[in-house]
Amino acid sequence: MRFLPGLLLLALTLPALAVKLSPLAPKPDWSKLDGYQRTITHDEFAHLVNTVYSPDGGFWAFATLTPDHVTIYSDATKKTPEFTLHFAGSDATALPRPYAYKTHGVSTDPRTPLAGIKIALDPGHIGGDWAKLEARYFKLGDDPPVMEAQLNLITCKILAERLQSDGAQIIWAKHGYEPTTDERPDTLHHEAIAALAAPAGGSSPSDEIFGLPDLSPRRSHVRAFSESRIDNEAALLFYRSAEIRARAELVNRQHPDLTICVHYNADDWGNPDHPTLSGTSKLIIFVNGCYEKSELADDDKRYDMMRKLLDRDAASEEKGCSLVGREMLEAFGYPPDNFNTSFARRITDVPSVYTRDLLANSLYHGPVIYCEGPYMNARDAYYRLIAGDYLGRRTIQGQSVPSIYRQYALAVERGVLEYFAK
Ligand SMILES: [Zn+2]
C-alpha cells in the first residue's frame, strides 16, 4: 500500500497532544498508584530518587517534595498536579505495599529450592523472519547466520529447564520466533507519523531501548526519503515498542516474582553480509534506574518510574543483578563493560552492574534482571556461538570449552538460586 507524501501526512497530524507520552504508551492511570499511599517514608523516597532513579535531579523538575507528601505535575511548569503521594510517618507505621514480590525462597525441600516461585523469561528480540528487520542478524562467509533472538531463546530454554528442575514455575514473555504483539509495521504507520511529528526531547524508540546502538544500516539514509522514513519508524515502533509492551502486558498479568531478560551484546559489525569480528566480549547487567530528565518529560515515564520506585524494586534488582553479574564474570572471565554516562551509572560493587532505563526493565512489574551476555561478533564468543548448543566440552579455536549457551544459563541459574537463598 502506498502512502501520501510523508510531509503532507505530518501536517495533517500535528495538533499538540494534551499529555506527552513516549511512543505507543497508553495514558497512565495515576489512581492505580493510590494503593501505595503511606507505604514509604519521605527519606526513603528522596533517597531512591536521588541515588537510583533520577541521579541527575531531573525528576524534581516535575515534582515538589514536602515532609508530608510529594506532588507530581504534568510538566515542568508545575501548574497541573497529576498525583500526590502521602508519606508514612516512619518505617514502623508504613502500610504494606499492594503486592509483595517474593524475594526469598519459600520451599522447605532442598531439592526444589525455587518451589512456589514464579520466574518470567524474556528472550530478547523476535528473530525468524524479523531478524534482519530488527538488525540483529549477520552472516560471515559460509558460516551459519548469527541471529540474536535465536541465541537468546536457546539460552532461555536451557535456563527454563534448570529453573524448573529447581522447582520454579516459568512464564514466557515470548516463545518461538513469532512476535508477541498483534501489531506489525504495516499497522503502525499512523503512530509512526505521530512519533516523527512529536517534539524533540522526549524518549524515542530510535535511541534508548536496548543496550546496543541502532545497527540498522537504513537509519543513515532515512532523512532523504519521507516515505521510507515513515516505514523505518513504523518498523522501530513494531519491534522496539509494540513488541516489548505486549510482552510486559502478558507477563504482568501473571505476577512473576522475578523477570529475567536475556540478551547477547555486540560491537558494531558494519555490513551484516560482510560483518567485522572484534576482539573481546564485555559483560553488563542492568538495574532499572537513571531516568533522564528528557525521558521524564513523558507522562508514562514518570508513572513507570514511580511504580518501580514504590514497588521497591531497586534493592531487589541490585541484589539480583549483582549475584548474576558476579556469576557471569566468573563463568566467562570477560571484563565488565565500562561506561558512565548520563543514562547509565555504576550502582553496586560488581563492576558490570549499571542502572539504566530500558523499556523492558521499566515496564515489567517487580524485580527485573536484564543481562547482556557475550558479544556475538567478538572472536572469543563468535566461534562458540556458531558451534551451537552441545553437552560436555568441545575444542573450539584450540580451547576445550562447554556450550556457551549452557555456560550463560548456568551462571544465571546460580545467581538466581543465590538471590532466593539470601
Ligand atoms: Zn539484544
Side-chain angles (χ1 to χ4, degrees), residues 333-355:
Y334 301 144
D337 221 322
N338 185 20
F339 64 101
N340 268 323
T341 66
S342 63
F343 58 81
R345 295 188 189 207
R346 281 269 311 272
I347 185 83
T348 74
D349 60 354
V350 179
S352 56
V353 177
Y354 285 79
T355 47

Side-chain angles (χ1 to χ4, degrees), residues 1 16 18 37 49 54 61 66 100 113-114 130 154 165 211 238 252 282 287 294 313-314 370 393 411 420:
M1 180 177 175
Q37 296 290 356
V49 170
S54 180
T66 75
L114 300 184
W130 304 99
I154 293 171
S165 72
F238 161 64
N252 290 342
K282 298 186 190 113
V287 168
S294 58
D313 289 336
Y370 190 107
R393 299 179 82 87
F420 284 106

Side-chain angles (χ1 to χ4, degrees), residues 97-156:
R97 296 192 286 282
Y99 192 87
Y101 298 90
K102 294 189 189 93
T103 54
H104 299 280
V106 292
S107 170
T108 51
D109 185 346
R111 291 168 301 178
T112 51
L114 300 184
I117 302 289
K118 274 197 258 184
I119 297 177
L121 295 181
D122 176 11
H125 312 290
I126 303 165
D129 294 342
W130 304 99
K132 286 187 180 177
L133 178 83
E134 55 186 356
R136 293 300 186 281
Y137 171 102
F138 67 83
K139 179 170 163 42
L140 182 64
D142 293 331
D143 289 350
V146 172
M147 289 178 274
E148 192 197 332
Q150 188 181 22
L151 316 182
N152 297 334
L153 187 56
I154 293 171
T155 307
C156 279

Side-chain angles (χ1 to χ4, degrees), residues 200-229:
S203 56
S204 145
S206 322
D207 58 13
E208 61 100 29
I209 308 302
F210 294 111
L212 282 167
D214 180 26
L215 301 174
S216 166
R218 296 181 303 151
R219 293 294 292 171
S220 55
H221 304 300
V222 293
R223 288 182 190 282
F225 308 102
S226 293
E227 281 185 48
S228 63
R229 186 171 185 188

Side-chain angles (χ1 to χ4, degrees), residues 390 393-402:
Y390 52 86
R393 299 179 82 87
R394 276 191 197 170
T395 300
I396 296 174
Q397 297 281 294
Q399 288 195 310
S400 170
V401 283

Side-chain angles (χ1 to χ4, degrees), residues 174-416:
K174 166 250 191 189
H175 201 288
Y177 300 109
E178 283 298 317
T180 298
T181 177
D182 294 331
E183 300 285 0
R184 293 294 180 270
D186 284 350
T187 66
L188 290 166
H189 275 81
H190 187 79
E191 291 80 359
I193 292 160
L196 288 168
S203 56
S204 145
S206 322
D207 58 13
E208 61 100 29
I209 308 302
F210 294 111
L212 282 167
D214 180 26
L215 301 174
S216 166
R218 296 181 303 151
R219 293 294 292 171
S220 55
H221 304 300
V222 293
R223 288 182 190 282
F225 308 102
S226 293
E227 281 185 48
S228 63
R229 186 171 185 188
I230 294 168
D231 287 346
N232 191 63
E233 194 70 19
L236 287 169
L237 288 175
F238 161 64
Y239 68 79
R240 287 190 164 182
S241 296
E243 176 63 11
I244 294 169
R245 289 184 184 284
R247 293 185 192 194
E249 263 182 47
L250 178 76
V251 165
N252 290 342
R253 282 199 294 270
Q254 301 173 74
H255 283 293
D257 298 301
L258 178 66
T259 297
I260 304 170
C261 302
V262 170
H263 288 257
Y264 284 76
N265 216 333
D267 273 328
D268 186 357
W269 55 62
N271 183 336
D273 297 320
H274 302 281
T276 310
L277 293 191
S278 65
T280 311
S281 292
K282 298 186 190 113
L283 296 172
I284 193 157
I285 313 272
F286 292 115
V287 168
N288 179 252
C290 224
Y291 289 69
E292 292 181 277
K293 184 180 173 187
S294 58
E295 294 173 322
L296 290 171
D298 291 342
D299 203 38
D300 55 299
K301 279 288 174 190
R302 290 193 297 281
Y303 177 88
D304 292 339
M305 189 207 98
M306 282 289 288
R307 183 178 172 117
K308 291 293 290 183
L309 185 155
L310 293 173
D311 264 339
R312 309 294 214 289
D313 289 336
S316 306
E317 293 185 1
E318 284 174 31
K319 181 175 89 164
C321 291
S322 296
L323 292 165
V324 169
R326 215 184 285 280
E327 292 290 350
M328 296 262 288
L329 288 170
E330 197 169 302
F332 288 110
Y334 301 144
D337 221 322
N338 185 20
F339 64 101
N340 268 323
T341 66
S342 63
F343 58 81
R345 295 188 189 207
R346 281 269 311 272
I347 185 83
T348 74
D349 60 354
V350 179
S352 56
V353 177
Y354 285 79
T355 47
R356 188 168 182 199
D357 167 38
L358 304 164
L359 193 60
N361 70 4
S362 66
L363 290 184
Y364 286 122
H365 297 173
V368 179
I369 298 174
Y370 190 107
C371 309
E372 287 282 2
Y375 281 22
M376 294 175 272
N377 65 328
R379 285 186 186 80
D380 57 20
Y382 172 76
Y383 297 101
R384 297 180 64 190
L385 288 167
I386 61 168
D389 179 38
Y390 52 86
L391 294 170
R393 299 179 82 87
R394 276 191 197 170
T395 300
I396 296 174
Q397 297 281 294
Q399 288 195 310
S400 170
V401 283
S403 150
I404 195 167
Y405 307 96
R406 282 176 195 272
Q407 199 169 15
Y408 190 164
L410 194 68
V412 176
E413 182 208 14
R414 281 200 188 116
V416 170

